[in-house]
Each structure stands twice: as C-alpha cells, then as structure tokens.
C-alpha cells in the first residue's frame, strides 16, 4: 500500500508540473506585451535635400531643445518651422524608432535674382525656376549666386505668402530662353548683364510681350516669348556675320520672327 501511495503521489506531482507549465505558456501568449517606454532623448536627425540647405542650418531652424525627448517631438510643428524658410518648397518628416527623425526637403532653385530696398537695407531675392515664386536665399553657394543673372521686373504685392510678393507668371518662357542660351549659345549667355521683364506680359497670345536682355558689351536684345529657337538662330547668324558692325550696334530686335531690326549708335 505504501508503494502505491508513493507512485500516485509522484504521478500527481508530475501532472501538476505539466499543468502549471501549460498554464504558464498559455497565459504568456494571451497576455498583451508591454509597450516599451519611449521617454528617451532624441538620438539623431537624418536629413536629405535636393538643394543647398545644410544640416547645420536645418538644426538651427528646427530649434529643438537640448536633450529633447523623442516622444515629445511634434513633427507637425517642425514642418511648420521649415516651411517658414521661403527657399523650402515642401517638407517630408518621418519618425524612425527607436529615437530618430528623418527629414526630406524640396527646395526652390534660383533662375533669376534682383534687389529691393527694405527700409535702410537692401535685400537680395531670387525667382524660382519652376513656378516663379520669390524667395530669400538660404545657404546658396557664392558660385550659384554669381552665376544667377539679374533681372528687372514688376513686382505685385500679396499677403498670401511669407515673402509678400506674387510669383512671376509665365516663368516657363524665361526659363526656356535661359536654358537655350546656356546649352546652345554660351557665348551669348556669358555676355548677359541682366534680363528685363518690364515689357513682359505672361498672358497667352499677348503678341506685344517682350523679354529684353542687356549685354555687358552694351547691346540690348529683344525677344518675343514665343518661337525662341528661331529668334536665337537669327541672332547667332547676325552676331557671326563678318560684316556685322559689332561696336556700333546698340539694339537688336528679333521679336518679329521673320526679320531683325538693328539699331546703331
């Protein structure tokens, strides 16, 4: 009887252990896992841009406090701060666990530059090559600023954006002219002192619209915004004609397409 009782007792212990192990495994799987506490400092800011803004400038603009907690970072506020930089066209911000932020910028690229009087100071402003928006330059290299031609234009005020001026309408015509000059007629482009859009009308079909170029050599060249390829072919032919009076010509008007009007001094 003693042997049987011992065997039963042993079997009972084994069964109890098996049941307890089974219950432990079962409840371990159905009990929700604890979410780790993210109250840790922000570790890194990863940064990518298609323009010229530097990470040092970006960090200063974000104004994130030292030892800021990752969980307390408001990416919507960060985006708002970056969009206050007029050179920034769009911002994408993403949280990356455990404690990093990824920022991607789309920047405005200068096509033209001009200066305005702002009280006692003179501001250098730029025209975006894609949509004609006006912006302040941020981190633009000196060689980019120097390579961007000056322009005279009529500015329209607006309270609708940070810079206070409406975009330059019809910028695609000026962009096309500049691209053609840079790529196919660099000797003409390198002689440009400034562009003038004072007689430019961006409305489609405005036959009176003109783009003027003032050259370092003293000449003024007048273009119609349309059919620029033909006008540049005519200009190239005129400037390379052996009998062309280089030193006495003050104006070449190509806007009539079929013929050029040359004014001499």
């Amino acid at each position: 009887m003693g042997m049987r009782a011992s065997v039963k007792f042993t079997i009972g212990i084994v069964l109890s252990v098996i049941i307890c192990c089974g219950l432990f495994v079962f409840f371990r799987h159905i009990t929700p896992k604890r979410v780790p506490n993210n109250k840790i400092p922000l570790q890194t800011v990863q940064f990518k841009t298609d323009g010229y803004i530097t990470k040092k400038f970006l960090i200063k603009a974000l104004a994130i406090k030292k030892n800021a907690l990752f969980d307390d970072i408001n990416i919507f506020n960060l985006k708002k701060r970056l969009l206050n930089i007029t050179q920034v066209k769009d911002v994408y911000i993403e949280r990356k666990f455990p404690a990093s932020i990824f920022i991607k910028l789309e920047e405005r690229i200068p096509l033209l530059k001009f200066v305005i009087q702002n009280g006692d100071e003179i501001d250098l402003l730029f025209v975006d090559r894609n949509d004609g928006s006006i912006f302040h330059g941020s981190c633009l290299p000196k060689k980019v600023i120097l390579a961007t031609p000056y322009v005279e234009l009529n500015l329209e005020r607006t309270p609708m954006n940070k810079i206070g001026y409406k975009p330059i309408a019809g910028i695609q015509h000026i962009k096309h002219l500049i691209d053609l000059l840079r790529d196919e007629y660099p000797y003409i482009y390198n002689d440009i002192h400034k562009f003038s859009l004072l007689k430019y009308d961006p409305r489609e079909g405005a036959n009176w619209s003109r783009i003027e170029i003032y050259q370092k050599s003293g000449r003024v060249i007048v273009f119609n915004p349309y059919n620029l390829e033909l006008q540049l072919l005519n200009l190239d032919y005129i400037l390379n004609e052996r009998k062309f009076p280089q030193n006495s010509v003050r104006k070449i008007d190509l806007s009539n397409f079929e013929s050029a009007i040359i004014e001499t001094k």
Side-chain angles (χ1 to χ4, degrees):
M1 292 292 292
M3 180 65 71
R4 287 184 176 180
S6 178
V7 171
K8 288 181 178 179
F9 179 74
T10 302
I11 292 173
I13 291 176
V14 171
L15 289 174
S16 297
V17 171
I18 293 173
I19 291 170
C20 288
C21 289
L23 290 172
F24 174 78
V25 172
F26 174 75
F27 283 108
R28 186 181 179 185
H29 280 83
I30 67 171
T31 302
K33 296 181 179 180
R34 295 183 65 186
V35 177
N37 187 359
N38 287 319
K39 293 292 184 180
I40 57 177
L42 175 67
Q43 293 177 355
T44 60
V45 176
Q46 301 171 11
F47 170 59
K48 185 178 181 181
T49 184
D50 63 353
Y52 301 103
I53 288 177
T54 63
K55 187 172 182 179
K56 182 178 179 180
F57 179 90
L58 175 94
I59 296 298
K60 185 177 180 180
L62 290 174
I64 298 174
K65 294 181 180 179
K66 190 176 181 180
N67 298 324
L69 298 178
F70 175 68
D71 213 31
D72 294 339
I73 298 293
N74 186 323
I75 62 175
F76 299 103
N77 286 343
L78 296 185
K79 182 172 183 177
K80 186 177 180 180
R81 288 177 196 167
L82 293 177
L83 288 175
N84 281 331
I85 303 169
T86 56
Q87 187 170 309
V88 174
K89 187 175 183 179
D90 199 8
V91 181
Y92 171 79
I93 304 181
E94 176 187 356
R95 289 177 175 272
K96 285 195 171 185
F97 292 92
S100 297
I101 291 175
F102 172 71
I103 298 174
K104 184 178 180 181
L105 297 185
E106 180 184 355
E107 294 185 39
R108 300 190 181 281
I109 305 299
L111 178 72
L112 299 164
K113 66 186 176 189
F114 62 98
V115 294
I116 59 169
Q117 189 78 30
N118 188 7
D120 295 332
E121 298 181 354
I122 294 178
D123 283 345
L124 179 63
L125 298 176
F126 297 88
V127 180
D128 177 56
R129 68 179 285 111
N130 292 316
D131 63 7
S133 293
I134 310 299
F135 66 94
H136 282 108
S138 300
C139 305
L140 293 177
K142 186 176 180 180
K143 65 179 181 180
V144 172
I145 296 174
L146 292 175
T148 303
Y150 277 100
V151 64
E152 292 179 327
L153 39 70
N154 295 309
L155 290 172
E156 292 186 66
R157 287 278 189 177
T158 178
M160 301 303 293
N161 59 41
K162 301 293 181 185
I163 201 70
Y165 295 105
K166 290 183 179 180
I168 306 304
I171 199 67
Q172 69 273 10
H173 296 132
I174 297 92
K175 175 186 174 182
H176 185 44
L177 175 57
I178 290 176
D179 288 343
L180 286 171
L181 288 167
R182 278 178 173 164
D183 296 341
E184 300 181 28
Y185 305 96
Y187 79 96
I188 300 176
Y189 181 80
N190 292 332
D191 191 32
I192 293 175
H193 170 57
K194 66 180 178 181
F195 285 79
S196 175
L197 302 183
L198 298 178
K199 298 178 181 179
Y200 176 64
D201 188 332
R203 292 175 293 184
E204 293 295 327
N207 295 327
W208 54 86
S209 181
R210 298 292 182 264
I211 302 171
E212 296 180 332
I213 291 178
Y214 289 78
Q215 294 189 291
K216 298 172 186 176
S217 54
R219 287 189 294 266
V220 179
I221 303 175
V222 182
F223 293 93
N224 190 304
Y226 305 97
N227 207 351
L228 290 166
E229 289 85 354
L230 175 60
Q231 294 172 77
L232 285 170
L233 279 174
N234 291 338
L235 178 62
D236 183 55
Y237 175 80
I238 292 170
L239 294 179
N240 288 287
E241 170 63 39
R242 285 192 305 169
K243 296 182 180 180
F244 179 70
Q246 295 283 350
N247 297 325
S248 62
V249 172
R250 60 181 296 271
K251 185 176 183 179
I252 303 174
D253 188 341
L254 303 157
S255 60
N256 192 34
F257 301 145
E258 296 179 359
S259 61
I261 300 174
I262 299 176
E263 295 182 16
T264 57
K265 296 178 182 179

